[in-house]
């Protein structure tokens, strides 16, 4: 059974997966949902030197420390950059990449390149704060809410886990180039609820790097689908795991 490694996006922590993890475990999978450096139980480690490379090392070190293979590596939002670079480092250990409403970078791109609105947040941090961290985004009026979460109880729960995002993680370019990573099958999950102004999504190429047809799925909910639609998301992730098992057997 593939192991799921769930990587949270900017400002979040590993707690955001709490509604999804038991559903995957119930299906017999091992699930890891760590907090990246500077977030959750590691929030005390946040400093100006924490960057994308730090978060990539978090994921690679976890995979190698636990000697994981056959990993379904899931990256939400900003973590699309993290999982791309981690898979580039250890492609033999990753069985499937899932980009969950995520940034999908090319070699040498940063979060500011993939999602240009991020540049505005970095500029705002430089003008109004200490310049090296970006506070969590504010809650917007419905239907946008807080990262697409609108239920008041869920908003309060989510807000309690958010931390500042280090600017270095948004500026640092991703380093890709290992041809072995091209063989990893990918699934793109798009959250197609209300999208705030300024947010963009790149089209998914019709063919994966490994030559297979693109796998694109949609969830009719907001950006933080692990909060608003955990059962639907779990089923899509299990489908990716099943596709991985079928591919490995063929």
């Amino acid at each position: 059974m593939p192991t799921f490694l769930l990587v949270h996006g900017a400002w979040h922590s590993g707690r955001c997966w709490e509604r999804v993890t038991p559903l995957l475990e119930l299906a017999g999978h091992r699930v890891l949902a760590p907090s990246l450096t500077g977030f959750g139980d590691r929030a005390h480690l946040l400093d100006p030197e924490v960057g994308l490379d730090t978060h990539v090392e978090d994921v690679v070190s976890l995979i190698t420390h636990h000697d994981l293979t056959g990993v379904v590596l899931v990256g939400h939002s900003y973590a699309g950059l993290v999982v791309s670079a981690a898979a580039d480092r250890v492609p033999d250990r990753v069985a499937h990449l899932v980009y969950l409403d995520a940034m999908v970078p090319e070699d040498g791109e940063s979060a500011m390149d993939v999602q240009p609105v991020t540049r505005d947040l970095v500029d705002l941090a430089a003008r109004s704060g200490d310049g090296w961290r970006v506070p969590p985004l504010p809650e917007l009026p419905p239907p946008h809410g807080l990262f697409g979460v609108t239920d008041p109880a869920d908003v309060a729960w989510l807000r309690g886990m958010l931390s500042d995002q280090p600017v270095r993680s948004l500026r640092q370019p991703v380093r890709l180039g290992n041809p072995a990573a091209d063989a990893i099958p990918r699934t793109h999950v798009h959250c197609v609820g209300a999208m705030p102004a300024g947010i963009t999504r790149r089209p998914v190429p019709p063919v994966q790097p490994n030559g297979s047809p693109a796998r694109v799925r949609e969830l009719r909910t907001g950006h933080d689908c692990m909060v608003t639609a955990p059962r639907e998301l779990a089923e899509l992730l299990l489908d990716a795991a099943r596709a991985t098992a079928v591919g490995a057997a063929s």
Side-chain angles (χ1 to χ4, degrees):
M1 297 287 281
T3 295
F4 283 97
L5 176 48
L6 311 178
V7 186
H8 65 82
W11 300 290
H12 290 57
S13 77
R15 286 183 58 207
C16 70
W17 303 102
E18 286 183 0
R19 298 177 182 180
V20 175
T21 295
L23 301 176
L24 301 178
E25 291 175 334
L26 189 62
H29 295 272
R30 183 182 183 185
V31 183
L32 299 174
S35 291
L36 300 173
T37 298
F39 303 97
D41 58 354
R42 307 181 72 196
H44 62 286
L45 299 175
L46 183 67
D47 67 36
E49 297 305 311
V50 173
L52 174 62
D53 285 352
T54 311
H55 296 152
V56 173
E57 187 60 36
D58 288 340
V59 174
V60 172
S61 295
L62 188 149
I63 290 173
T64 56
H65 175 75
H66 290 278
D67 195 22
L68 300 179
T69 58
V71 175
V72 178
L73 184 55
V74 182
H76 178 240
S77 197
Y78 154 78
L81 284 84
V82 178
V83 300
S84 294
D88 197 77
R89 291 265 303 274
V90 288
D92 56 315
R93 295 177 177 270
V94 178
H96 204 106
L97 275 169
V98 179
Y99 291 95
L100 179 57
D101 219 31
M103 302 182 190
V104 185
E106 300 290 340
D107 180 41
E109 289 189 317
S110 69
M112 294 194 302
D113 298 315
V114 182
Q115 189 60 260
V117 71
T118 307
R119 190 178 304 275
D120 297 334
L121 300 176
V122 170
D123 291 344
L124 180 61
R127 293 195 304 270
S128 60
D130 52 27
W132 67 266
R133 53 186 168 182
V134 180
L137 298 181
E139 182 180 357
L140 299 174
H144 303 298
L146 185 64
F147 297 102
V149 178
T150 56
D151 178 82
D154 288 345
V155 168
W157 178 71
L158 177 60
R159 192 188 304 281
M161 73 179 71
L162 300 180
S163 302
D164 291 349
Q165 183 76 18
V167 165
R168 185 175 176 85
S169 69
L170 305 176
R171 283 181 170 158
Q172 200 165 41
V174 69
R175 293 178 289 184
L176 308 174
N178 187 345
D182 289 344
I184 302 171
R186 297 140 198 255
T187 296
H188 299 260
V189 178
H190 293 163
C191 297
V192 294
M195 186 178 292
I199 301 297
T200 60
R201 177 184 292 133
R202 290 177 171 177
V204 177
V207 179
Q208 299 184 42
N210 66 3
S212 300
R215 286 174 49 91
V216 181
R217 306 293 185 262
E218 292 185 348
L219 285 173
R220 296 202 169 277
T221 188
H223 183 56
D224 275 9
C225 55
M226 71 288 291
V227 178
T228 58
R231 292 189 179 278
E232 295 85 346
L233 172 58
E235 185 51 46
L236 289 183
L237 296 180
L238 292 171
D239 182 63
R242 288 190 287 268
T244 299
V246 169
S250 60

